[in-house]
Every structure is written in structure tokens, then in C-alpha cells.
Amino acid sequence: MSTTVVTTEAPTTAAPAAAATRGQVEITNVRKSFGGTEVLKGVSLTVPSGGVAVIVGPSGSGKSTLLRTINHLEKVDGGYITIDGQLVGYQVRGNKLHELREKDILKQRTDIGMVFQNFNLFPHLTALENVAEAPVVALRSDNSQRRNKGEARQRALELLDRVGLKDRADAYPRQLSGGQQQRVAIARALALDPKILLFDEPTSALDPELVNEVLDVIRELATSGTTLIIVTHEMGFARDVADTVVFMDQGQIVEQGNPLEIFANPQEPRTRSFFSKVIEPAFNI
Amino acid sequence: MSSAATTVAQSAQRSAPGPATRAEAENLADTGSAAALPADYSDYKLVPARHPWRWVGTVVVALGIAAVAWSLATNPRWEWGVVAQWFTAQSVVTGLVETLKLTAISGALGFILGFILALMRLSASPLLVSVSWTFSWIFRSTPLLVQVLLWYNLGYLYEKVSLGIPFTDVRFFEAQTTTLISQFAAAVLGLTLNQAAYSAEIIRGGILSVDQGQLEAAAALGIPAWRRSTRIILPQAMRAILPTAFNEIIGLVKGTSIVYVLAYSELFYTVQVIYNRTQQVLPLLLVATLWYVVITSVLSVLQYYIERHFSKGAVRNLPLTPLQKVRRFLSTHAATNVRSPR
């Protein structure tokens, strides 16, 4: 009887907290250079389905670049990334990895939402139009139907409501505060029901008093079953929300682990010296 | 108070003794006592600063305008009667239509070709980039007059134009160049290609002015490439493109007059033909000029509203339309006049 339930449920649009394999990210030995500088020196990381990984580290350590390789905004020079076992940006042909055509890369990206440091909202579109744009025009990775305009707007309104901005649906980004803009950007990233959400320093461009309204939204997402990978400098937030804290320095993962352990008892000297600089003395764990 | 006064008096004595010292001391004492009183200005009316020189400037300019208007109206040599007689004459209107036709066709084709050239220039292919660059280089460095004459005389260079498979005898289509390239075709070709070279740079500049993050965000959302250009990038680029593009189109309206060298009967050639016959040179040039002014005015109004449309979201509040400005001017000034008597 339980099998019949599964078969009827499966074809409907997957709820955020669906099957166990939804949104597992596996990064294997990824390397990347800009000019002569190697910014990623063979990074491997696994984030389980529904997991919350927070990447911390000094600027220039390759955190953002690593994040951007996950949705192929940045091409890797070596190594590979899979999502639920599926290669990102490449396909195997013979014994070579061939880069996918742009159309197919775009399809893959609909499973991976991204939130940028400086929001990158489309300034000529209202909050609602920003959120409702992609579901209408983007081809989905599972070749499912694109939403029609009415559905997309309805869903966009629900998402804006979820981030607490339903009443600002018709505002243009420039009429919103930084925190509100970033919350719209999060709603926009959610509009395609992604398996994975990438956050690239989502609060770094915000005034201190606006940081929390954004972090609260991300906190709420952390319990929703979507896989989150977050680059941030907010250590308190990392401690609260992360399953795994990953410390990167000079293009490598130096240390990773449970937030309570890694903050209280870092094993590597570099980790220890970094935390001693960024965590204020009053911050007790 | 007295101690302060005496110190000032003492120090002042060294430089300027006598009555000045006393006056200074009193002055200081005065301000001292005034500052001691509790100040409450909450009932005071705010009076904006006056700008007398602005008024002087306004009057001078107004007088200048009046003088020019007076001379235009009273100098009989402008021959306004002749202007009025020819302004809506059948031949002039026909010429005007030809001018508008040339502007519309070569403007539209020029900007479409310019858009393609701009995309080529921004592409990753070195061949496309250099072809686009060379096109702009050639057509921007040759005079429009030469280009137009060259197209018209193409028949001298190449007697026949044919379409077929190169290096074989297969021909799908063949024609005499002179029958193919009429005055109209030469005019449109010359104006279009010249316009394309300039608009390519304008459009490229507009596209470059859009933040790279916009493309990234659109790509991260899986928005297809064509949609990315038309829905995300172009509307934002339009803000940078429009002012210069309208400059170009207004330039093109008057630029069409250059095809008079082909004896093509657009507005300018038409009035030339007329004044060669009637010898009323200035009034007829004025007829053409007034029509150019009319076209440019219409285009300027159009530009204002199109720019306003594309500034949605770029400014917190849309700029007021002229009508709204007039209303606001009237309402605020009426309001100050009501308030001032009190």
C-alpha cells in the first residue's frame, strides 16, 4: 500500500524535502587558476542532501570561486563536480569529459539557485517580475513544463510572502533597502524549486542592522531540506545554522567539521589563528 | 562680562586705541547677552534665499529673445508670405515625405545592422570581431557624400550584379547594376551602411555599460541567451543608448539632404529646384529649415517619453512629464503666494 502512495506522489512536482538523493553535492579534486595564480588547488568536498555547509576563510582563499564552480559560472581547470551523481557542466564521451552546450548548462542551473553578494536583482523589473521571470522562460533540467505567467506570478507572490515582502511586490529594487533586496534575491533563487542553494557572502554588502533579516530567512531555509552551501563571514550564524563548517585558506580546505567542535577546538594552526582574529572575545562557545 | 570686555579692550589697545576699542567691547557684550537668552524659533517662518542675479540674467536673456523675435517679424526680407505660400505646397510636401521615408528606412536598417555589428564586436570569435571593426573603420572614415556617389556609380565599376555559385557558371540571378541601383537604392544603401557603422558603436557602448553581474544572475537562473539579451541586458543598455541614438536619428533627418547630389527629390533638393526657378533663395531655405525643426521637435518629444519609459527602476521616482512640472510649478507658487501675507 505504501508503494501506491509513492507512485502517486512521485510524478507531482517534488516538495523541497523530498527524496534522500535530492541535492547531494560532490566536489572532487577541483583545480582552478586565474592567469598564473592557482586559486583552487585540488579541493574535494561532499555536502549531503539537505545538508548545510558553511565555508569560511580569509578573503582570497578561493571560497567564492569554489561556490561559482558548483553551478559552472566558473569553469574548472581540473577535477569535477557532481550533483546527485550527475556531472555539472560536462558529459562523459569515451574517456573524456566534454563541456556541455550552453543550453544544457542552463538547464542544469535551474536545479541550483544562487544568491550574490551584491544581489544582482534586475533593476528595471519589479520585485515580483524579478522572481517570476525565470520560471516562465528557463528550460528545466527534468524537461518539465515551464510555468505560465499566471502560475509564475502566483508562486512569486507566495515566495515574496515567505521572505516577508508580499506588500513590496510592485516595488523596483532601488526602492528597497539592501536587506529587502537580498530577500527578493533569495525568493528569486527559490522560484525554480532548486535542489541546492548557493549563497555568496549574502550579507557582506549590507548595513549591520539589516544583516539579521537576511540571516533569518536563510535560517528558515536551512530546515527546509534544500541543500545549502554558504560562504559567509558571519561566524555566529555559521555556528547556528551549519551542519559542517569548512575552513579554506590559500585555495585548499584546511579543516572541516561540526561547528561546535571546529570553533571550540580547531586542530590546524591556520584555523586557530583565523578564528582568533574574526571571533570577538565575548563570543563564547 | 566686565572681565571679558576689559581683556578685549586691553588687547585692542595695542593695535588701535580710542573709540574703536569701546565700540568693539560693546559689540561683544551685546552678542554675549543675546546668546544668554533662551532661543525659540519654532514659530518663525522660513524664507528661502533670494537670487537677484538669476533675475538679472533672466531679464537679459528675455530681452535678447524679444529682439530676435521682433527682427524676424518685422524685417520684410525674410519674406514670410513666400514661406507660408510654399510651406504646404504639393511639391514640398512630397519632398518631405521622401525625406521621412529615407530617414525611417535607413534609420531602422542602420540600427538593425548596427545591433548585429555590435554583437559581432562583442563575440568571442576573432574573425567576427575584426570584420565588425573593419566595417566601422571603413564607413566612419569615408565621407558620406563619397559613399552615396560610389553606390550610385557602382555600375561603372561592376556592370552586372549576379548571384550564383562562385567559380562556376551557375547563376541564379543576374541584372544590370544601373537598373538595380536606382537613386533611391543608392541613397538608402549609403545612409544605412554609414548609420550602421555609427550605431554599432553606440549599441556596443550601451551593452558594455550594463553591470556584468546582471548577465551572471540571468545565467545562474538558467534564462536562455536570447531572452537574456532582450529582456535583461538591452532594456538596461537602452538608457545609455537612447540619448546618442536620438542624436544620430536627428542627424540622419538632416543628413538625408546630402542625397541631393543624386538629384533625388527629397525635401532639400525640392526647395533647391524651386528657388533656382523663383530666385527666392532664403525664404525657400527657410521652408526646408522649418520642416526640419518640426521633425526634430517631434523626435525630441518622442525621445523624452521613450527615455522616461526606460528609466523605470533606474531612478527611485520617475521624472515628471512637462505637464506634471507645470502643474507642480503652479501649485507650489500659488501656495507660497497664499502663505506670504502672514
Side-chain angles (χ1 to χ4, degrees):
Chain A
M1 197 200 121
S2 63
T3 47
T4 51
V5 174
V6 171
T7 44
T8 48
E9 290 251 68
T12 60
T13 46
T21 54
R22 200 176 191 271
Q24 167 156 317
V25 181
E26 203 136 352
I27 301 169
T28 310
N29 202 23
V30 160
R31 283 180 289 107
K32 173 76 189 176
S33 301
F34 290 120
T37 348
E38 198 170 29
V39 288
L40 294 177
K41 300 170 183 168
V43 175
S44 297
L45 176 69
T46 302
V47 184
S49 167
V52 180
V54 175
I55 306 175
V56 299
S59 49
S61 57
K63 301 171 303 225
S64 290
T65 309
L66 179 65
L67 201 70
R68 290 158 57 85
T69 59
I70 296 173
N71 65 353
H72 205 66
L73 272 186
E74 215 73 80
K75 289 179 197 174
V76 297
D77 294 339
Y80 59 92
I81 294 162
T82 61
I83 289 172
D84 300 337
Q86 187 104 43
L87 277 168
V88 176
Y90 294 90
Q91 60 180 344
V92 183
R93 233 185 281 155
N95 56 354
K96 286 182 182 150
L97 294 184
H98 289 264
E99 189 175 15
L100 291 172
R101 287 173 310 156
E102 199 201 349
K103 205 177 126 200
D104 296 316
I105 293 172
L106 289 173
K107 277 187 185 178
Q108 285 193 332
R109 288 199 185 122
T110 58
D111 284 338
I112 314 166
M114 185 158 193
V115 175
F116 298 86
Q117 179 176 352
N118 37 15
F119 328 136
N120 288 343
L121 288 178
F122 307 131
H124 59 300
L125 303 181
T126 63
L128 185 73
E129 289 167 338
N130 262 281
V131 181
E133 173 71 16
V136 179
V137 297
L139 291 168
R140 307 307 304 268
S141 60
D142 55 358
N143 293 316
S144 60
Q145 275 283 311
R146 284 174 280 187
R147 287 208 168 94
N148 71 36
K149 269 191 175 169
E151 287 167 3
R153 287 177 76 87
Q154 195 49 47
R155 174 85 178 119
L157 272 178
E158 286 166 27
L159 287 168
L160 285 175
D161 195 23
R162 188 162 161 196
V163 299
L165 287 171
K166 196 179 183 180
D167 54 329
R168 302 306 310 271
D170 293 325
Y172 287 97
R174 239 157 252 176
Q175 296 165 327
L176 301 171
S177 74
Q180 290 173 328
Q181 288 189 49
Q182 192 61 300
R183 286 190 277 151
V184 173
I186 292 172
R188 181 175 73 172
L190 288 170
L192 292 163
D193 302 314
K195 301 174 184 172
I196 299 152
L197 276 171
L198 309 174
F199 291 87
D200 188 4
E201 304 197 19
T203 58
S204 296
L206 297 177
D207 291 338
E209 78 270 23
L210 301 178
V211 167
N212 275 325
E213 65 184 59
V214 172
L215 294 185
D216 287 343
V217 171
I218 303 176
R219 255 188 210 105
E220 196 253 328
L221 289 173
T223 58
S224 73
T226 312
T227 308
L228 306 188
I229 303 179
I230 306 166
V231 171
T232 186
H233 292 294
E234 301 285 334
M235 295 301 154
F237 169 72
R239 185 194 53 174
D240 291 352
V241 85
D243 303 329
T244 314
V245 171
V246 180
F247 173 69
M248 278 186 78
D249 191 21
Q250 296 175 0
Q252 286 170 322
I253 293 180
V254 177
E255 192 172 350
Q256 57 177 304
N258 176 294
L260 295 177
E261 283 167 19
I262 200 169
F263 281 123
N265 189 19
Q267 300 298 308
E268 298 287 329
R270 271 192 285 174
T271 319
R272 217 171 298 144
S273 112
F274 176 74
F275 285 153
S276 73
K277 276 178 223 148
V278 294
I279 301 170
E280 58 263 51
F283 185 83
N284 294 317
I285 302 172
Chain B
M1 182 204 109
S2 62
S3 69
T6 44
T7 29
V8 168
Q10 276 167 358
S11 63
Q13 243 167 7
R14 269 175 251 136
S15 49
T21 319
R22 166 163 292 178
E24 255 178 61
E26 272 169 12
N27 219 354
L28 198 84
D30 264 4
T31 47
S33 63
L37 281 174
D40 179 13
Y41 302 119
S42 48
D43 282 345
Y44 284 48
K45 235 177 73 70
L46 297 176
V47 182
R50 303 287 176 210
H51 302 280
W53 284 107
R54 197 181 287 173
W55 283 105
V56 173
T58 308
V59 169
V60 169
V61 171
L63 283 176
I65 292 171
V68 171
W70 180 252
S71 97
L72 280 177
T74 56
N75 186 343
R77 295 202 181 173
W78 285 108
E79 297 184 80
W80 289 108
V82 179
V83 173
Q85 177 201 333
W86 285 106
F87 193 64
T88 50
Q90 183 60 48
S91 53
V92 170
V93 171
T94 314
L96 174 70
V97 169
E98 288 302 315
T99 291
L100 290 175
K101 206 164 84 183
L102 275 183
T103 309
I105 293 174
S106 35
L109 292 180
F111 269 89
I112 290 169
L113 185 56
F115 180 58
I116 295 168
L117 285 167
L119 292 185
M120 284 167 69
R121 185 77 189 276
L122 292 168
S123 86
S125 152
L127 179 68
L128 293 185
V129 171
S130 27
V131 167
S132 171
W133 184 88
T134 311
F135 183 96
S136 290
W137 175 61
I138 289 174
F139 284 94
R140 289 198 304 178
S141 44
T142 47
L144 179 55
L145 190 63
V146 175
Q147 288 174 36
V148 169
L149 285 174
L150 200 71
W151 288 116
Y152 192 52
N153 293 304
L154 198 67
Y156 173 77
L157 296 169
Y158 304 96
E159 263 179 56
K160 285 177 181 170
V161 174
S162 61
L163 184 71
I165 299 169
F167 309 117
T168 64
D169 289 333
V170 183
R171 297 277 179 277
F172 304 121
F173 164 84
E174 197 169 56
Q176 292 288 320
T177 310
T178 40
T179 57
L180 207 62
I181 304 224
S182 61
Q183 290 158 316
F184 179 71
V188 166
L189 259 176
L191 291 169
T192 298
L193 296 180
N194 189 66
Q195 195 52 54
Y198 284 95
S199 40
E201 288 297 284
I202 294 168
I203 293 168
R204 188 171 70 95
I207 292 174
L208 288 179
S209 75
V210 179
D211 181 27
Q212 184 67 21
Q214 293 290 310
L215 263 186
E216 273 189 2
L221 285 165
I223 296 174
W226 177 250
R227 182 82 178 172
R228 223 148 58 205
S229 308
T230 55
R231 170 84 163 161
I232 307 298
I233 303 300
L234 259 191
Q236 297 184 59
M238 282 306 254
R239 273 179 56 73
I241 292 173
L242 278 173
T244 339
F246 267 94
N247 249 358
E248 283 294 310
I249 290 178
I250 287 169
L252 183 62
V253 173
K254 292 169 290 172
T256 54
S257 65
I258 212 164
V259 304
Y260 84 93
V261 293
L262 307 178
Y264 184 82
S265 52
E266 43 72 60
L267 182 59
F268 190 67
Y269 182 77
T270 307
V271 298
Q272 272 186 318
V273 168
I274 299 170
Y275 71 59
N276 282 334
R277 188 152 41 83
T278 66
Q279 297 304 310
Q280 294 159 318
V281 179
L282 276 180
L284 274 152
L285 282 178
L286 212 57
V287 167
T289 307
L290 284 178
W291 273 120
Y292 287 128
V293 169
V294 168
I295 299 171
T296 306
S297 312
V298 171
L299 284 174
S300 303
V301 172
L302 203 65
Q303 174 181 7
Y304 180 85
Y305 282 95
I306 293 181
E307 278 185 19
R308 191 168 181 274
H309 170 78
F310 281 103
S311 70
K312 258 191 314 184
V315 287
R316 282 191 186 218
N317 293 302
L318 278 184
L320 298 173
T321 62
L323 201 66
Q324 288 169 328
K325 273 185 196 160
V326 168
R327 276 204 210 109
R328 195 184 61 169
F329 180 84
L330 289 177
S331 63
T332 53
H333 278 256
T336 37
N337 289 342
V338 170
R339 262 190 276 121
S340 48
R342 207 212 94 162

